[in-house]
Amino acid sequence: MIKIGLTGWGDHPSIYRTNSTKNEKLFDYSGHFPIVEVDTSFYAIPSRQNIEKWLKETPDSFQFIVKAYQGMTGHLREENPYESRNEMFEAFRQCAETFQNANKLAMVLVQFPPWFDCSTKHVQYIRYIKEQLSDFPVAIEFRNKTWYSAERKNETIRFLKDNGFIHTVCDEPQAGVGSVPFVPEVTAKRALVRIHGRNVFGWRNSGSTENWREVRFLYDYNEEELSDLANKILQLEQKCEEVFVLFNNNSGHHAANNAKTMQQMLDVHFEGLSPKQLDFFEGEF
């Protein structure tokens, strides 16, 4: 089974109804895709009130991939708003449990920063993540190439498998040690594929300019590239029960159209979407 979605639901204008309000964007989104990444949880752990609102706005079969808070992954550059690491993880666990109790948690995504290299201390920290998030399915995403070096790649995959982690397969710009190759390996019953675009310039200059967020994921996949990715995803599907595919190349609002094209290429149909899926919208993709 292959499920396709996007990172976040608030910035994909091509899939909203013309008269849709800001508060209706998730409902509109869930009329097109069966999964979504909660990317806002990276910046601040959402309140139970907000989560329950999102749960009510989506169909019973809809699933959320909840991105780990930046204080848990080493991204946080400001002062941590939590008094202790235990308090921070407890707040996130309560967040994830709210999704899980509604049977809408696909997995927790733990994305490590580019400087999180393959080293003993970082392996130990991943073990700590396992202890803290033991009640949830957890996907690990690396952004440092050392995890996939010729000497370490097999060890990395075996480590993820032995510890019950979901391997995140990434399609992203090849821009030195702060990026990873496409490694189609499965370590659990589910696999996660995150598609970031191939904008090498934007990737390398991340954070160095005021508008870096506008260019980092600025990329529109052509049909040949999407077809190649679709074939690789089909191969992944042979190795596990479910493949979750997330398009993150949305600096120029290309993610939704690329996702729709891939859906057509794979000939997959999503059941149980929100009822306001209007047929005339489909002609726009």
Side-chain angles (χ1 to χ4, degrees):
M1 182 181 294
I2 298 172
K3 296 180 179 179
I4 301 173
L6 313 175
T7 57
W9 59 81
D11 194 27
H12 309 288
S14 63
I15 64 174
Y16 307 134
R17 291 164 294 145
T18 54
N19 61 341
S20 184
T21 67
K22 179 180 179 181
N23 291 332
E24 295 173 321
K25 286 184 176 181
L26 177 56
F27 183 86
D28 285 354
Y29 175 100
S30 62
H32 293 267
F33 300 105
I35 61 171
V36 73
E37 178 184 309
V38 183
D39 54 356
T40 55
S41 54
F42 175 79
Y43 302 100
I45 298 175
S47 67
R48 181 184 295 272
Q49 182 180 3
N50 279 340
I51 297 170
E52 290 178 347
K53 177 178 178 292
W54 300 337
L55 295 173
K56 291 177 182 178
E57 291 173 351
T58 51
D60 291 343
S61 60
F62 192 85
Q63 291 184 295
F64 295 84
I65 297 168
V66 183
K67 194 171 185 180
Y69 175 59
Q70 58 184 331
M72 299 161 54
T73 57
H75 287 87
L76 188 64
R77 297 179 181 178
E78 303 85 31
E79 184 177 350
N80 196 318
Y82 296 94
E83 292 186 4
S84 68
R85 192 159 69 170
N86 286 339
E87 181 184 331
M88 173 180 65
F89 273 95
E90 177 59 26
F92 186 83
R93 283 193 295 268
Q94 291 180 13
C95 157
E97 284 173 359
T98 306
F99 288 101
Q100 190 176 63
N101 291 340
N103 295 317
K104 290 190 176 186
L105 178 70
M107 65 191 75
V108 171
L109 168 63
V110 179
Q111 177 197 295
F112 290 110
W115 53 88
F116 192 88
D117 61 357
C118 185
S119 61
T120 301
K121 67 175 182 177
H122 289 152
V123 168
Q124 291 304 318
Y125 187 73
I126 296 174
R127 293 185 189 278
Y128 175 77
I129 289 285
K130 178 186 177 182
E131 294 175 1
Q132 294 297 312
L133 302 178
S134 59
D135 293 334
F136 314 107
V138 176
I140 299 292
E141 178 177 348
F142 296 115
R143 285 280 175 88
N144 187 289
K145 193 172 289 187
T146 58
W147 294 94
Y148 299 107
S149 67
E151 299 82 12
R152 300 290 178 83
K153 174 184 170 184
N154 290 338
E155 292 181 24
T156 296
I157 298 303
R158 185 168 59 249
F159 171 73
L160 295 177
K161 185 178 295 185
D162 290 347
N163 286 276
F165 289 117
I166 298 164
H167 178 228
T168 304
V169 182
C170 296
D171 188 79
E172 64 191 40
Q174 297 306 289
V177 70
S179 59
V180 298
F182 190 94
V183 180
E185 297 286 349
V186 171
T187 59
K189 292 181 180 180
R190 292 178 173 180
L192 176 62
V193 180
R194 293 184 84 228
I195 299 175
H196 299 299
R198 299 176 182 178
N199 185 340
V200 175
F201 173 80
W203 198 267
R204 282 179 175 163
N205 290 276
S206 171
S208 62
T209 58
E210 290 184 5
N211 67 333
W212 69 271
R213 293 187 189 279
E214 298 175 14
V215 299
R216 180 169 173 79
F217 303 107
L218 181 60
Y219 194 81
D220 187 10
Y221 284 87
N222 62 41
E223 288 206 9
E224 182 179 354
E225 291 168 333
L226 288 173
S227 179
D228 179 62
L229 282 171
N231 289 331
K232 291 175 178 175
I233 289 167
L234 285 173
Q235 293 172 21
L236 280 173
E237 186 191 21
Q238 302 303 312
K239 304 176 185 178
C240 60
E241 295 180 4
E242 291 181 291
V243 182
F244 291 74
V245 182
L246 293 170
F247 280 81
N248 190 37
N249 58 318
N250 203 49
S251 292
H253 297 139
H254 296 119
N257 289 352
N258 285 173
K260 288 283 186 175
T261 300
M262 177 167 285
Q263 180 184 352
Q264 294 169 1
M265 289 178 171
L266 292 170
D267 193 26
V268 292
H269 304 277
F270 306 131
E271 303 294 332
L273 298 175
S274 286
K276 291 185 179 180
Q277 174 99 339
L278 302 179
D279 290 341
F280 64 84
F281 273 65
E282 296 303 306
E284 298 179 4
F285 297 96

